[in-house]
Amino acid sequence: MIAVLVVFCEVAFWVLLAAGLALRYVARKPRLGAAVLLCEPLLEVVLLVVTVIDLRNGAEPDWKHGLAAVYIGFTVGLGHHTIKWVDARVAHRWFGGPPPVKPPKYGMARAAHEWRTAARWILAALVALGLLQAAVWYVGPGDGTASLQGWQQKMGLVIGINLIIAAGYTLFPKQAPKDAVAEREPADRP
């Protein structure tokens, strides 16, 4: 049931996003569109409550409970940025909005962009880690928590990979080609 609910939440995320953007741009009701978009966190609350109830009713913690925690974490860390990213592209592509700001390609501006991206992924992984640890404490000691601890290790890997990528752009910044026209690239804003 938990795995089906995770899939439902992901589908509902995109449906709410499409509905919110349609209300904002097609129906020209930006406040109503924003209200619909603000309903998206309710999906994660429902998933969290159902997962806690499932564990409280004696379900053996397994990969599905870990997946629910990871999904919630990634929605917290990346959901808002995803909505802004899609909104900018929809506004530009179909409704005459300005072109989306492209991330910088070179130098320390690119490194700063990579650190902001890493921060979002790290936040997502930390939220997932916290939820997974809360589930481990809730279930109690024993072999039943091995699946949850496996997810925790994967979140540690996500953090490590993002730190390595951001550090790589900082220590070895990509330089603009010598024959490239010097263009000023605006840094993307969080």
Side-chain angles (χ1 to χ4, degrees):
M1 180 171 116
I2 299 296
V4 171
L5 188 56
V6 169
V7 171
F8 170 79
C9 286
E10 180 65 14
V11 170
F13 174 86
W14 291 103
V15 167
L16 283 174
L17 179 56
L21 293 176
L23 286 168
R24 181 174 182 171
Y25 294 112
V26 177
R28 299 189 192 274
K29 298 192 182 266
R31 288 185 186 199
L32 185 57
V36 169
L37 292 175
L38 287 173
C39 291
E40 292 195 5
L42 295 176
L43 297 170
E44 284 66 45
V45 171
V46 168
L47 180 59
L48 180 62
V49 168
V50 170
T51 302
V52 169
I53 290 171
D54 192 45
L55 290 172
R56 188 182 69 201
N57 288 340
E60 184 74 22
D62 60 9
W63 67 271
K64 295 179 291 263
H65 298 95
L67 178 64
V70 169
Y71 178 80
I72 292 169
F74 279 72
T75 301
V76 168
L78 302 168
H80 180 71
H81 180 68
T82 301
I83 290 169
K84 286 176 61 177
W85 187 88
V86 170
D87 182 32
R89 276 137 189 86
V90 166
H92 173 65
R93 176 86 169 155
W94 289 294
F95 299 101
V101 176
K102 292 183 179 182
K105 293 181 184 178
Y106 308 109
M108 294 314 289
R110 179 60 184 218
H113 167 76
E114 292 300 327
W115 279 107
R116 284 188 295 275
T117 301
R120 285 189 287 273
W121 281 91
I122 291 169
L123 172 63
L126 288 174
V127 169
L129 275 168
L131 291 172
L132 289 162
Q133 188 58 46
V136 167
W137 288 333
Y138 186 71
V139 171
D143 295 333
T145 60
S147 175
L148 299 174
Q149 291 167 336
W151 278 105
Q152 287 178 316
Q153 292 171 351
K154 290 175 179 79
M155 293 303 98
L157 189 61
V158 167
I159 291 171
I161 289 169
N162 279 281
L163 288 174
I164 289 169
I165 291 170
Y169 275 95
T170 302
L171 297 174
F172 309 105
K174 187 175 178 183
Q175 301 300 319
K178 294 188 191 290
D179 60 345
V181 176
E183 291 183 26
R184 183 167 180 226
E185 296 177 351
D188 83 334
R189 308 239 189 269

